[in-house]
Amino acid sequence: MNTIDLKDTYLKFFESKGHKIIPSAPIIPENDPTCLFNTAGMQPLVPYLKGEPHPEGTRLADVQKCFRTNDLDSIGDTTHHTFFEMLGNWSLGDYFKKESIGWSYELLTKYLNIPVEKLAVTVFKGNEIVPADTESAEIWKSLGIKEERIAFLGEENNWWPNMELLGPCGPDTEIFYWRSEENVPEKFDPEDENWVEIWNNVFMQYNHEEGGKFTPLKNKNVDTGLGVERVTAILEGYTDNYKSSVWKDVIERIEEISNLSYDDENNTRSMRIIADHIRAIVMISGDEAGIRPSNTDQGYILRRLIRRMIRYAKKLNIDINSDWEQELAKLIINKYAKYYNELEKNKNSILE
Ligand code: SER
């Protein structure tokens, strides 16, 4: 299953479970001056998670454009990206743990055909404020996840966003996949890097208020996030995200432009950085906010990405006075315009 089919299957599945498919919010937050970028699908939905009625109802799903700068120095490895897409489904005071976990299990095992033997989960082990989430563990067990594949972890792993941040929050259950050629161990060890997190289901039931109080939210919500790049690679059997259908054509074009091979390890990292950054550059400059390279805020990040991309292009001896970056940008625009039609609309300014 390629990356387009993954997105379509996910959205259709949740539509069949009564969800309204909403468009991605802009990558630049519209009403939140405290954040430069949307970093998760739930961010634009915060007012509704706090109780404001959403015009589309209480069950929503989408694919959201996300951008995180905290991983910038890891870009060039097999799994990290600055821009990424997050598939998400939400219950705004509607269904809760049983349905959420049940549907995640159904989608992964029946529609994406992931063998249950390759799955493991974590749940919240509790602290002095909130008790352990044994309810989620029991639901997983009832679906067939063995006890030794369920790990109870603390707030640093199974609380979202974290205990310090104010706003809607709660315990989460994270789903892991065994991404290795080696045999799957019986017992789940969350420290073993062959287990990669693929989906996070947050059970948002508290509002962390100023002064440290955790008050129950008016509505109990569900907020989930599944990483498109990672899951695409898994479904296609790659341990390198850049080999998957998300990136294959982009990497091939960089190989053509540079006349070098991705598989030659002298080039791999540079090509990954160029591929990652050109996509992020297109998404940021194609956003309706009209961000341009500058010295401040999002414009500064955009400028940094462009400079960094050019630095790695020079390493590959790409003629930086040719229109190589326009060629790559056009490829990205064509690939993503189906989901984010502002890219087509803002094509000229992106290319400029
Ligand atoms: N908000 C959670 C995350 O970003 C689940 O969507 O992982």
Side-chain angles (χ1 to χ4, degrees):
M1 180 177 289
N2 67 27
T3 189
I4 307 260
D5 294 336
L6 167 63
K7 287 187 266 193
D8 291 351
T9 304
Y10 184 101
L11 296 174
K12 261 199 211 122
F13 176 82
F14 281 103
E15 204 170 22
S16 79
K17 307 287 184 196
H19 291 64
K20 279 274 160 52
I21 310 305
I22 56 170
S24 170
I27 197 169
I28 314 295
E30 288 170 303
N31 303 312
D32 185 356
T34 63
C35 278
L36 291 183
F37 296 100
N38 270 321
T39 58
M42 54 74 71
Q43 218 170 296
L45 295 172
V46 168
Y48 311 106
L49 292 163
K50 281 185 173 164
E52 202 180 292
H54 192 285
E56 296 288 350
T58 55
R59 294 183 180 196
L60 310 172
D62 75 4
V63 51
Q64 168 68 38
K65 303 188 282 184
C66 299
F67 182 85
R68 293 184 184 176
T69 46
N70 46 343
D71 287 335
L72 196 58
D73 293 326
S74 321
I75 308 303
D77 69 5
T78 55
T79 53
H80 287 94
H81 308 293
T82 50
F83 171 87
F84 63 98
E85 292 182 288
M86 190 184 279
L87 283 160
N89 60 283
W90 290 274
S91 156
L92 303 173
D94 190 316
Y95 59 87
F96 205 45
K97 295 181 183 177
K98 189 161 178 276
E99 295 84 349
S100 170
I101 293 175
W103 289 336
S104 292
Y105 181 84
E106 187 183 349
L107 180 69
L108 292 173
T109 58
K110 303 215 167 64
Y111 290 76
L112 305 182
N113 296 320
I114 294 181
V116 60
E117 297 74 39
K118 290 201 168 185
L119 295 175
V121 301
T122 60
V123 295
F124 184 53
K125 78 170 179 194
N127 59 14
E128 58 290 342
I129 306 168
V130 182
D133 188 8
T134 47
E135 188 187 350
S136 291
E138 287 308 317
I139 298 168
W140 282 118
K141 273 194 246 169
S142 75
L143 293 166
I145 299 286
K146 297 200 183 108
E147 199 150 347
E148 53 273 29
R149 290 285 177 80
I150 303 175
F152 281 83
L153 301 179
E155 62 193 52
E156 53 305 341
N157 295 296
N158 285 91
W159 190 270
W160 213 92
N162 65 49
M163 280 271 170
E164 278 78 52
L165 277 179
L166 302 180
C169 58
D172 65 14
T173 179
E174 298 187 352
I175 309 173
F176 288 72
Y177 173 84
W178 179 254
R179 191 164 97 159
S180 161
E181 307 280 295
E182 285 170 45
N183 286 345
V184 202
E186 280 300 304
K187 195 171 162 53
F188 170 43
D189 171 9
E191 297 289 312
D192 182 338
E193 286 184 354
N194 287 319
W195 287 107
V196 292
E197 185 205 331
I198 54 171
W199 202 346
N200 183 12
N201 295 21
V202 184
F203 303 119
M204 249 170 212
Q205 52 191 113
Y206 300 97
N207 190 32
H208 185 191
E209 290 181 26
E210 208 102 38
K213 255 179 54 188
F214 286 77
T215 44
L217 282 175
K218 207 163 90 197
N219 289 330
K220 284 184 183 171
N221 307 306
V222 175
D223 151 37
T224 91
L226 174 143
V228 170
E229 288 72 12
R230 221 174 250 192
V231 176
T232 301
I234 283 169
L235 295 175
E236 294 178 341
Y238 294 115
T239 48
D240 175 357
N241 286 1
Y242 293 89
K243 294 256 179 188
S244 80
S245 54
V246 175
W247 299 104
K248 195 170 174 287
D249 50 352
V250 183
I251 295 290
E252 280 169 5
R253 193 63 62 88
I254 299 172
E255 286 183 307
E256 275 163 36
I257 293 170
S258 63
N259 219 357
L260 295 170
S261 157
Y262 175 76
D263 291 326
D264 177 341
E265 60 182 39
N266 295 315
N267 310 325
T268 312
R269 185 161 178 269
S270 299
M271 289 195 185
R272 287 177 185 157
I273 291 171
I274 294 171
D276 173 88
H277 286 13
I278 188 72
R279 188 174 69 155
I281 290 164
V282 166
M283 294 295 177
I284 296 172
S285 55
D287 203 79
E288 291 293 33
I291 302 298
R292 290 289 161 268
S294 74
N295 289 337
T296 54
D297 301 334
Q298 294 97 342
Y300 175 68
I301 306 282
L302 180 58
R303 194 175 78 170
R304 236 180 112 186
L305 289 169
I306 295 172
R307 285 190 164 171
R308 205 155 175 265
M309 178 178 74
I310 292 175
R311 196 158 79 230
Y312 285 93
K314 283 183 178 166
K315 272 191 154 181
L316 298 179
N317 291 323
I318 291 175
D319 172 8
I320 58 154
N321 294 316
S322 68
D323 58 2
W324 64 283
E325 72 278 61
Q326 293 211 354
E327 229 184 278
L328 292 173
K330 281 184 200 155
L331 190 67
I332 305 280
I333 295 169
N334 289 342
K335 263 169 91 96
Y336 287 95
K338 171 176 171 190
Y339 298 96
Y340 314 118
N341 48 30
E342 63 277 11
L343 297 181
E344 196 54 57
K345 195 170 134 214
N346 298 328
K347 188 171 178 174
N348 289 342
S349 62
I350 298 172
L351 296 178
E352 186 188 322

